[in-house]
Amino acid sequence: MADGIKDKVAIIGMGCTRFGERWDAGPEDLMIEAFEECLQDAGIERKQIEMAWYGHCISKVGTGPGGTALATALRLPYISVTRVENFCATGTEALKGAAYAVASGACDIALALGLEKLKDVGYGGLPAFDSGAGPLNSQTMPNISAPGSFAQLASAYRAKHGISYEDLKKAIAHVSVKSHANGVKNPKAHLRKPISLEQVLGAPIIADPLGLFDCCGVSDGSACAIVTTPEIAKSLGKTDLVSIKAIQGALSNGEESGFNQWDGTGFATTRRAAKMAYKEAGIKNPREELSMFECHDCFSITEFVTYEDLYISPEGGALKDTMDGFYDADGKIPAQIDGGLKCFGHPIGASGLRMIYEMYLQILGRAGDRQLKDPRLGLTHNLGGFPSSNVNAISIIGRYE
Amino acid sequence: MVGITSYGGYIPRLRLQRSVVYAANAWIAPGLFGSAGGERSVANWDEDSVTMAVEAARECIKGFDKEHIDALYMASLSFPFKDRQNAGIVARALNLREELESADFTSSSRSGVSALAAGLNSVQAGSTRNTLVTVGDRRITKMAYTHELLAGDGAAALMLGTDDVIAEFKGSFTITSDFIDHFRGQDEPFDYNWEERWIRDEGYFKIAPRAIEGLLNKTGVAGEDISAFIMPCPFGKATHKIAAGCGIAVEKVADNLHKVCGDTGVAHPLVMLVAALEKAAPGDKIIVASFGNGCTALMFEVTDNIKRVSGIKGIQGCLKDRKEDQNYMKFLAHRGLLQQDLGMRTEADWKTSLTALYRHRGQILGMVGGKCTKCGTNQFPKSNMCVNPECNAVGTQEDHEFADKPGKIMSYTGDLLTFSPDPPAHYGMITFADGGRGMFDFTDYENGKIEVGQTVRMVFRIKVIDQARNFIQYYWKAKPIINSEED
C-alpha cells in the first residue's frame, strides 16, 4: 500500500480575504485579494505557478462552471486550471489536487484557490434546492435545508445516549460560545462579537433544536495556498517549513441513507477518513498528539459529534469534554481557534483552505492575539453534503522536521 | 351476483370550525349565519382529490390480490389535471398492473355515481371482473360564499365484483336533464350558481323523484322497504320531502354529514354509502341518489358477507380521527385564495423531468423499492447494485413494495428556514424494520408530538407544485402515528 504524501509537499505561501458580507467585492476581487497575500507570503513570481486548482461550489451564484474564472481573475499565463467541486469540502479538494501534482512531480509549484460569493443571492442562508438537485433528487428529496439536515444529528444522538433536550442544547450552545470568543480575536472573521450561553439558548429556532447561534455564517470570501516540494522550498531560501502530513477523503456510498446500519448520530465518512489520515501522518493517539484542529462546524451539533468521529473524545464523551472546556482556547486541544465556520464564516469553496490557513499561521507563530503556544500538528476537517450522504476531507499539517 | 365487494373511505383530519368562517365574513355576508354551525373537513395543503382517493382505495383493496383488479375509475370535480388521466395516477400509486381498464369521470355533480354505475354495468356485462371505483373532491369556493361552509373534502372507494359481494346491485335509473343549478366554464376557477329556491323547487323536487320512482318501479321494490336513502343535498330537509314523496320513511333518510364533515362533492354519495355500509345489516336495501344535470339513483341489497368486513377505519373512523382547526387564514392560503409574500426561497424552479419521472415511476409514485434475490436485503430506493456492503450484487433487484410497511423515525427536525406551506417543515430519516430507509417529509404531524422511534404510516401526497407550469409532483410522506388507534 502506498505510504502517502507525508512531508512530500510544503506550503510556502497562503492568503485569505476577510470573510463576510462583502457587498464591496465581486468574485474576482476576492480571488485577487487572497492571491496577493499568498504570493507575497510565498515570495515567488506569478509566472512560477505551473498548475492551479480552483475550488468553487455553488457556481450558479458565483462564477459559473469551469476554471476560466480563476485563470482570468489572476491573469494566469495559459496554465492548467482545474475547477473542483465537492460540496462544502471543495476547498480541501483544491489543495489535494495541487499537493498531488507537486508530490507526483507533475509540476514544481502549484496553486490551490477556493472562492465563494454567496451574498449575491438576495436572501439569508444557502440558496434553496430545486430541480438543480437533479431530475430524480428533486422529485424525491424533502425540501431540506442545511440546518434541517444537520439538526437531525441531535435527535438521533439524544436518543442513542439518553441525553435530555436541554442538556444537549446547552452543550452545543457552549460550542458556539467558545467559537464566538475565538472569533473576537480574528480581524478577518465575519462575526466578531462574544455571545453568552443565555443568548444562544434564547435565540429563535432555525431547525429544531438548532437556533440562530447554532448556525454558521454564510459569507463571501477566498483563501489560497501555494505548494511545492520541501526541497524546492529550501532552494527558494525558505526556512521554518510547514508540510502536509496527510490529506484523506471518504464519501458516502448510499449505505447511510439506504442500508439499516448507520444510526444517524455522526459521520461514517469522518471516521474512515480520520483513521486513514492518522495513519498517513503517523499519529497513534490524536487526543495526545494533535495541537489543535479546525473542524467543519457548519452547525454546533456537527462540531459536537465530530469530536467523537475524529476519535478525540471517546464514544459518548463529547458532552463531558465540551462542558469541561477541553476544546476551548485554553483547553487541551483548542478547536476553531480562528472562530471556525461559525464566526470566521463559510464561503463554501474557500472554507477548507481557510482552515488550513489558520493551522499554517499558528504553526508559524503568526496568529496574533489568538496564537497558541508552540503548536506542532494541526488537523482540518472539511465536510460537505448531509449527515446521511456527504463528502469528507481531512488534512493534517505540521512543522517540517 | 354483482355488487360491492369492498369499501374504503377517507376524510382528512382537519376540521375547520364554520363559526370562524362566519365570524370573518359576517360583515359582508351576514346570511352565512344559517350555515355557521358545526365543522367541515379540510384537506391538508398537500392533499387533493387524487391523494385522498388513493388513501380511500388503499383501504378498499387491502387483502385483495392486485393482479385481479382489471379496471379503475375515478370521479371528481376537482381533478388536479385537466389532461393527464387522474385515474392513472391513482393506479400507479396503488401499484396496480398496467393491463387495466381506466377512465376519469367529471363535469357533473353526478359523476361519482356515474362512475359507480358504469363500473357495475361493466362487471354485470362480464367485461371486467373487479372494478375499483374511486371518488374524491377538494372543491375550491370563493370566500364568503355559502358553499365555502357547506363543502367538505373527502374520498371513497368501492370495489365492484362478483365474488363475496357485500351489497348486491339491484338496478339503476337515470334522468338526464340540462338543468343548470351551477356551472363552471372552461378555465374558470369557481362555480357560478343560480337562485337556491329555484334549484330546490324545480330541480331537486321535480327531477330527483322521477329517478327514484323510476328505480323503484324498475326493481319492483316498494319505497317502504328501503332501509337507507342516501342523497346529498344542500337544502336542509329537502331530502325528507323527496323520500316521503316516494314512499320512503323519513327516518330512513341518511344523515348528510353536514355537521361533522360537509358535502364532499362528487365523492359524497359514495362517502355516505360507505358510512351506511359500516352500519348495515344483511337484507338492508339502500338507495344512493345523486343530483346534477339530472339525477341517478342506484339500489343495493346488503348480503350476509357484510358481517365479515372488519378492520376498516372507514368514514366513521375518519370522522373520529379529527383535529379542530380555527385558522381560516391558513385555510384560504392553502387553497390559493390569498396573495402572500412567501419569500425568495419559493422562487425555486421545480420543473419536473418527465423522462426521469417515468423511468422512476415505481419509486416516486408507487413507493416501490427493491429486494435483492441474492442476499435478501430490502432497499429503498432501488438501485441496480445491492446496498448491502456484504453483497453489492448487480442486477439482482426485484420490485418490492414499501408503501404499506410501517416505518420508524430514526432522526427528524422541524425546519423553519426551508419553505413549507405549513411551517415548520418536518422531515427525517425513516427506517423500515425489514430493510430500507429514506429521508421523507412528514405530514399531518403535530408540533411537539414527534420523537425518535415513533411509528409512521407512509401516505401519498403532493410534494411540490411547479407554479410556473402548474405541474403537481407527488411523492410519499411519513405520517407520524399519534394515537394508537391506527396500525
Side-chain angles (χ1 to χ4, degrees):
Chain A
M1 191 183 156
D3 55 2
I5 63 164
K6 183 181 180 183
D7 289 332
K8 291 177 182 169
V9 181
I11 302 173
I12 58 168
M14 289 202 79
C16 183
T17 66
R18 180 171 62 79
F19 283 7
E21 291 169 330
R22 295 292 304 266
W23 314 119
D24 60 310
E28 60 289 343
D29 302 319
L30 295 167
M31 287 194 257
I32 292 169
E33 191 178 320
F35 180 67
E36 283 292 290
E37 180 191 347
C38 181
L39 195 65
Q40 201 176 4
D41 182 28
I44 62 166
E45 289 179 57
R46 199 165 44 124
K47 66 182 183 201
Q48 288 176 268
I49 297 166
E50 294 165 74
M51 291 183 180
W53 273 260
Y54 174 42
H56 178 44
C57 188
I58 306 183
S59 59
K60 67 177 176 180
V61 295
T63 66
T68 46
L70 175 67
T72 304
L74 304 184
R75 309 283 187 218
L76 296 175
Y78 293 126
I79 63 168
S80 159
V81 177
T82 304
R83 182 197 159 205
V84 294
E85 183 282 301
N86 228 350
F87 298 155
C88 297
T90 295
T92 307
E93 290 291 343
L95 180 72
K96 186 157 86 179
Y100 283 3
V102 165
S104 71
C107 70
D108 284 341
I109 299 179
L111 169 73
L113 183 144
L115 173 278
E116 212 69 43
K117 179 67 194 167
L118 292 169
K119 296 308 296 180
D120 281 347
V121 175
Y123 54 87
L126 294 178
F129 294 101
D130 59 11
S131 50
L136 178 57
N137 285 340
S138 66
Q139 295 184 64
T140 57
M141 273 202 0
N143 190 17
I144 201 167
S145 74
S149 75
F150 286 88
Q152 293 177 51
L153 291 163
S155 64
Y157 191 93
R158 284 203 298 110
K160 181 182 180 181
H161 294 290
I163 298 172
S164 74
Y165 183 93
E166 292 71 24
D167 284 350
L168 185 61
K169 181 92 178 146
K170 215 174 278 179
I172 60 178
H174 183 99
V175 168
S176 294
V177 170
K178 171 265 299 164
S179 295
H180 270 262
N182 293 344
V184 170
K185 296 181 179 174
N186 187 345
K188 287 186 174 176
H190 183 167
L191 305 171
R192 301 193 62 201
K193 278 184 188 161
I195 53 169
S196 68
L197 194 73
E198 292 67 34
Q199 270 177 294
V200 183
L201 296 176
I205 292 292
I206 303 296
D208 191 52
L210 304 179
L212 183 64
F213 292 112
D214 291 297
C215 307
C216 74
V218 171
S219 327
D220 302 326
S222 179
C224 64
I226 291 173
V227 292
T228 187
T229 64
E231 293 72 29
I232 296 169
K234 284 178 200 160
S235 75
L236 291 169
K238 293 274 177 187
T239 54
D240 288 344
L241 289 184
V242 174
S243 63
I244 295 173
K245 307 298 181 186
I247 302 182
Q248 290 291 342
L251 271 75
S252 296
N253 61 9
E255 267 176 57
E256 301 104 301
S257 57
F259 188 63
N260 284 359
Q261 200 164 55
W262 176 68
D263 64 10
T265 64
F267 294 83
T269 52
T270 299
R271 289 176 179 240
R272 166 80 176 144
K275 273 185 184 164
M276 293 196 299
Y278 293 142
K279 189 176 171 206
E280 186 177 17
I283 292 174
K284 300 275 187 298
N285 184 348
R287 193 174 171 99
E288 295 303 324
E289 295 174 59
L290 286 177
S291 313
M292 59 194 168
F293 65 94
E294 291 287 328
C295 71
H296 199 90
D297 57 330
C298 48
F299 303 98
S300 55
I301 187 66
T302 321
E303 176 170 340
F304 181 87
V305 302
T306 299
Y307 295 156
E308 294 177 24
D309 290 338
L310 289 174
Y311 300 103
I312 300 173
S313 287
E315 196 78 20
L319 193 129
K320 182 174 187 302
D321 278 346
T322 300
M323 301 314 279
D324 285 352
F326 184 87
Y327 298 107
D328 293 356
D330 57 357
K332 174 93 191 313
I333 305 182
Q336 329 302 86
I337 191 65
D338 65 356
L341 298 173
K342 176 75 197 77
C343 293
F344 204 140
H346 188 20
I348 300 177
S351 285
L353 282 156
R354 183 276 300 162
M355 298 173 182
I356 294 162
Y357 176 71
E358 178 66 10
M359 299 293 94
Y360 173 82
L361 293 182
Q362 290 282 353
I363 291 163
L364 291 175
R366 287 162 36 184
D369 287 349
R370 59 188 190 282
Q371 181 63 47
L372 300 170
K373 190 170 170 292
D374 196 30
R376 304 180 67 81
L377 277 178
L379 175 146
T380 67
H381 160 265
N382 196 191
L383 179 79
F386 300 146
S388 57
S389 181
N390 61 79
V391 173
N392 196 287
I394 287 177
S395 83
I396 299 172
I397 68 170
R399 290 182 192 171
Y400 182 74
E401 290 164 318
Chain B
M1 188 188 290
V2 170
I4 297 164
T5 55
S6 178
Y7 59 80
Y10 178 70
I11 305 293
R13 281 187 80 224
L14 292 176
R15 304 295 147 74
L16 183 66
Q17 303 304 297
R18 292 195 180 97
S19 54
V20 299
V21 181
Y22 170 70
N25 290 303
W27 63 278
I28 189 145
L32 290 178
F33 182 75
S35 310
E39 58 190 27
R40 57 155 295 176
S41 61
V42 177
N44 205 342
W45 72 268
D46 58 358
E47 295 184 289
D48 63 15
S49 55
V50 162
T51 68
M52 292 191 293
V54 168
E55 199 59 17
R58 287 174 74 187
E59 189 170 50
C60 181
I61 67 171
K62 217 187 276 177
F64 260 83
D65 183 348
K66 291 182 190 178
E67 283 300 302
H68 293 153
I69 299 171
D70 48 14
L72 186 150
Y73 299 153
M74 173 160 182
S76 180
L77 277 178
S78 54
F79 276 130
F81 285 91
K82 199 180 277 183
D83 190 348
R84 171 190 181 186
Q85 197 193 48
N86 298 280
I89 306 172
V90 175
R92 183 56 264 181
L94 298 173
N95 287 318
L96 301 186
R97 58 186 191 146
E98 291 190 341
E99 293 75 17
L100 185 80
E101 187 67 40
S102 57
D104 284 347
F105 289 71
T106 187
S107 300
S108 165
S109 307
R110 194 155 49 87
S111 49
V113 290
S114 299
L116 177 56
L120 289 162
N121 289 337
S122 174
V123 173
Q124 204 158 40
S127 300
T128 55
R129 291 173 302 167
N130 294 290
T131 296
L132 179 60
V133 174
T134 61
V135 288
D137 242 339
R138 174 185 177 270
R139 293 175 297 160
I140 307 292
T141 51
K142 280 184 185 165
M143 285 172 66
Y145 182 59
T146 321
H147 283 266
E148 183 179 41
L149 293 170
L150 298 180
D153 302 328
L158 295 171
M159 186 72 84
L160 312 174
T162 53
D163 299 334
D164 302 323
V165 168
I166 58 174
E168 184 185 6
F169 176 51
K170 305 298 283 186
S172 69
F173 198 92
T174 294
I175 300 292
T176 296
S177 167
D178 190 28
F179 180 87
I180 311 166
D181 56 337
H182 73 274
F183 67 92
R184 180 151 49 97
Q186 190 83 352
D187 298 330
E188 282 298 316
F190 305 110
D191 291 349
Y192 188 85
N193 291 262
W194 210 254
E195 187 185 355
E196 292 180 355
R197 295 177 62 78
W198 175 72
I199 296 168
R200 187 191 61 189
D201 295 350
E202 288 296 303
Y204 279 86
F205 287 162
K206 291 193 175 166
I207 296 173
R210 289 168 62 199
I212 296 154
E213 279 163 8
L215 176 66
L216 291 170
N217 289 337
K218 186 176 169 184
T219 55
V221 175
E224 63 196 43
D225 293 333
I226 297 302
S227 325
F229 175 65
I230 292 165
M231 181 171 179
C233 174
F235 310 116
K237 298 223 166 12
T239 45
H240 289 203
K241 185 171 170 185
I242 294 167
C246 298
I248 301 167
V250 166
E251 58 271 21
K252 304 294 183 189
V253 175
D255 173 23
N256 66 2
L257 308 177
H258 167 75
K259 279 203 178 66
V260 292
C261 169
D263 186 306
T264 59
V266 301
H268 213 52
L270 277 68
V271 164
M272 289 174 68
L273 174 57
V274 170
L277 288 172
E278 285 164 1
K279 50 189 177 191
D284 282 0
K285 292 188 176 68
I286 300 173
I287 286 181
V288 186
S290 180
F291 181 85
N293 312 126
C295 185
T296 292
L298 292 83
M299 192 189 294
F300 297 93
E301 182 171 344
V302 178
T303 74
D304 278 343
N305 288 323
I306 195 82
K307 294 179 189 163
R308 293 196 305 215
V309 178
S310 68
I312 288 182
K313 184 175 176 183
I315 296 300
Q316 297 304 333
C318 285
L319 289 174
K320 280 183 206 138
D321 181 12
R322 59 189 271 283
K323 188 188 172 196
E324 284 187 23
D325 188 5
Q326 309 267 359
N327 196 337
Y328 180 51
M329 290 291 278
K330 195 176 186 178
F331 166 84
L332 294 173
H334 285 174
R335 282 164 188 254
L337 295 169
L338 298 177
Q339 287 209 343
Q340 295 171 288
D341 180 7
L342 298 173
M344 284 190 194
R345 284 184 179 273
T346 57
E347 292 166 9
D349 187 348
W350 289 104
K351 180 174 177 173
T352 303
S353 167
L354 299 180
T355 42
L357 172 57
Y358 184 68
R359 196 160 55 240
H360 297 279
R361 62 194 183 280
Q363 176 191 342
I364 296 170
L365 299 177
M367 226 195 141
V368 176
K371 185 183 183 76
C372 178
T373 53
K374 192 172 168 215
C375 74
T377 300
N378 293 341
Q379 63 168 298
F380 188 90
K382 186 168 93 172
S383 83
N384 217 6
M385 186 181 287
C386 179
V387 71
N388 179 356
E390 304 299 320
C391 177
N392 289 160
V394 175
T396 57
Q397 297 291 317
E398 57 183 30
D399 282 356
H400 187 74
E401 293 186 20
F402 277 79
D404 289 329
K405 291 176 189 279
K408 282 214 184 308
I409 297 173
M410 175 179 130
S411 64
Y412 71 94
T413 188
D415 188 340
L416 283 158
L417 178 64
T418 198
F419 172 73
S420 165
D422 193 16
H426 279 77
Y427 49 83
M429 185 72 90
I430 302 300
T431 61
F432 300 96
D434 57 355
R437 57 167 56 173
M439 191 78 75
F440 292 96
D441 283 311
F442 295 177
T443 189
D444 288 359
Y445 49 79
E446 286 189 33
N447 279 331
K449 289 192 178 172
I450 298 174
E451 56 192 351
V452 169
Q454 194 171 4
T455 301
V456 301
R457 169 181 162 80
M458 301 309 297
V459 289
F460 184 72
R461 294 291 173 101
I462 293 169
K463 181 179 184 296
V464 72
I465 299 172
D466 169 11
Q467 304 285 356
R469 302 163 195 85
N470 205 0
F471 185 85
I472 296 170
Q473 274 188 16
Y474 294 100
Y475 193 49
W476 291 81
K477 297 186 182 179
K479 176 176 175 167
I481 303 302
I482 299 162
N483 307 317
S484 54
E485 67 189 51
E486 281 186 71
D487 300 287

